Amino acid sequence: PSPLESAMIERLRATLHVISGKEVVLHEETEPALLGGVLVELEGKIYDGTVRMQLEKMKQRIAREY
């Protein structure tokens, strides 16, 4: 994965500001194991929009169906 573009970072910061009602300071890291997407920890909650998590959820849905 590659770092987010500055416009994306600002959109993410603005969205998190709306969710939290607070000023948001982002700490950006690139972690290849996530495969892509965004993982956010905000006020003790984790918002996982990573490709790895989406694949895991898909795997669980398939396993439940069969």
Side-chain angles (χ1 to χ4, degrees):
S2 58
L4 294 175
E5 296 177 8
S6 59
M8 266 302 221
I9 291 172
E10 287 308 312
R11 284 181 36 203
L12 179 59
R13 185 188 327 271
T15 301
L16 295 172
H17 172 73
V18 170
I19 291 170
S20 68
K22 299 177 182 177
E23 185 64 29
V24 175
V25 177
L26 295 178
H27 174 72
E28 185 179 359
E29 294 180 19
T30 301
E31 188 174 328
L34 297 180
L35 304 176
V38 176
L39 178 73
V40 174
E41 183 178 346
L42 179 67
E43 298 181 327
K45 294 181 184 176
I46 295 178
Y47 300 90
D48 192 336
T50 62
V51 173
R52 181 178 68 185
M53 181 55 70
Q54 292 172 19
L55 290 172
E56 181 61 33
K57 287 180 181 180
M58 187 182 306
K59 177 182 165 185
Q60 291 172 1
R61 280 194 305 267
I62 291 170
R64 281 193 304 257
E65 291 177 10
Y66 295 101

